[in-house]
Amino acid sequence: MTRPRLGSKPRQGLSGSEARNLTLNRFVGTALRTSPTRAVSSSGRGVAAEPWVDHTELRFCPGCVAADDGRWPLAWSLPWVFCCLIHRCYLITICPACRMKVRPAEVSLARGVCGRAARERGADPGLRCPGRFRDAEAPPLRDPELIRLQKLLLEHLQADSEASLDRARADFQDLSEIAVMALFLATPANLDGADPVIHDAFSSFSRRYFVKHGRLMRERDRFHPGMLVLTGCLRVASQIVFADDPLQAALSLADLRKHPADPAVRPLRRSWITRPPVHSGERIRSIVEAVQENSKFSRGWPS
């Protein structure tokens, strides 16, 4: 499935379901919880309705862009697709020439070139970035854990029977909630065996947001932490969700049974109060309950 030009209208003659399949709405109810359209907040700023779907950033595989004549698969816009199994590389988000993020409103996707207007002071207004997406160098993918996870997630994105849709929905929901947990509690030590590009990105993130006394993140970084950081969170989440004992596996992030509760857990609990886990399955229910119950009080003060 390819992505239509942003801002374009469906061709005449398409049925409602066909038109829906040309947008991210085809994944609502499984990979996405809500319609990923942009709404306007009370402050007048646009906000994404679906966490981790960043409408201002595009991901791509240079090899696929070269082979498919500039077509951009719809799934590249999902937080669940972080690598290309054909070319064994991670997706990237940066133009190889200007080193700026690939933003749909600023680049020439159809021609496979950046084409972004120069922003330097005194630059010729007609000067455009000549960067070709096919010339970018993507980090190699070697991590067997992430290869297995990406294969599973791609299978779930293609689910069509009721039974397979139920499995996909359960896995997406549980992975999403535990990835939030990893975003608040994981450290580079939890990414042992990950590819260097993932480990380095999460190390940089951890230096900005120290976890020991509670990882207090800016709202932007909570909802859009960057593809490599989010991929690290999904890797940690998969090791917990698919473990024989998910609660025991989750204890590698923090002692959820500690009294008083570990201060590092308090921001996670506040996050889950603001946006409670949706339809938590049996696999992660004990984890959610442990966070919510054991973090009620910390050193005598409500958290």
Side-chain angles (χ1 to χ4, degrees):
M1 178 64 66
T2 58
R3 181 179 185 143
R5 183 170 297 176
L6 298 177
S8 62
K9 297 181 180 179
R11 292 176 302 168
Q12 293 183 350
L14 291 179
S15 67
S17 61
E18 289 173 330
R20 182 176 183 272
N21 285 338
L22 293 175
T23 72
L24 291 176
N25 286 319
R26 67 176 296 197
F27 301 112
V28 172
T30 52
L32 300 175
R33 294 176 182 171
T34 59
S35 176
T37 55
R38 294 187 68 83
V40 177
S41 67
S42 57
S43 63
R45 294 178 300 174
V47 293
E50 176 70 22
W52 295 342
V53 176
D54 190 346
H55 294 268
T56 68
E57 176 182 277
L58 289 178
R59 308 173 177 186
F60 66 97
C61 165
C64 287
V65 170
D68 292 340
D69 195 26
R71 290 182 294 172
W72 297 65
L74 191 62
W76 282 353
S77 296
L78 295 173
W80 305 106
V81 181
F82 46 80
C83 65
C84 175
L85 296 178
I86 298 174
H87 297 99
R88 279 296 195 269
C89 67
Y90 290 94
L91 301 183
I92 55 179
T93 62
I94 302 295
C95 167
C98 66
R99 308 305 300 168
M100 299 285 287
K101 283 188 176 182
V102 179
R103 301 185 187 280
E106 299 178 353
V107 301
S108 301
L109 297 182
R111 295 190 295 118
V113 298
C114 179
R116 182 184 281 107
R119 295 180 175 177
E120 294 81 2
R121 181 175 297 178
D124 181 351
L127 186 63
R128 300 281 174 174
C129 174
R132 298 195 309 168
F133 299 128
R134 66 175 62 195
D135 294 337
E137 293 186 11
L141 169 70
R142 299 189 179 96
D143 183 353
E145 294 260 1
L146 284 178
I147 291 174
R148 284 194 294 269
L149 178 60
Q150 187 65 97
K151 286 180 178 177
L152 173 66
L153 296 177
L154 289 174
E155 289 176 3
H156 283 344
L157 291 175
Q158 299 299 322
D160 51 9
S161 68
E162 194 60 38
S164 61
L165 283 170
D166 286 343
R167 287 193 298 270
R169 191 176 298 112
D171 284 352
F172 285 133
Q173 289 171 348
D174 289 349
L175 285 169
S176 178
E177 298 304 343
I178 302 305
V180 170
M181 184 178 188
L183 188 66
F184 278 97
L185 298 177
T187 68
N190 299 116
L191 290 171
D192 184 36
D195 285 327
V197 67
I198 301 296
H199 195 277
D200 292 349
F202 208 89
S203 295
S204 177
F205 174 78
S206 296
R207 287 192 294 270
R208 288 165 50 213
Y209 298 114
F210 192 48
V211 71
K212 183 176 181 180
H213 300 295
R215 185 170 275 160
L216 300 176
M217 293 170 279
R218 295 185 305 170
E219 184 176 356
R220 169 71 188 181
D221 289 327
R222 283 180 54 196
F223 289 99
H224 304 297
M227 190 199 75
L228 296 177
V229 173
L230 176 56
T231 300
C233 292
L234 289 174
R235 186 184 192 275
V236 173
S238 68
Q239 293 176 324
I240 294 173
V241 170
F242 301 124
D244 293 335
D245 186 344
L247 177 58
Q248 186 63 36
L251 296 181
S252 65
L253 299 182
D255 188 351
L256 305 179
R257 298 165 173 167
K258 181 180 178 182
H259 295 284
D262 189 334
V265 182
R266 293 168 66 184
L268 170 65
R269 179 175 180 270
R270 292 192 190 104
S271 174
W272 276 354
I273 289 175
T274 303
R275 189 182 66 85
V278 179
H279 306 305
S280 299
E282 290 298 328
R283 289 179 298 193
I284 70 167
R285 184 166 297 157
S286 59
I287 299 173
V288 175
E289 290 174 351
V291 171
Q292 293 175 337
E293 179 65 26
N294 293 346
S295 294
K296 285 183 178 177
F297 293 90
S298 180
R299 301 188 186 280
W301 293 92
S303 63

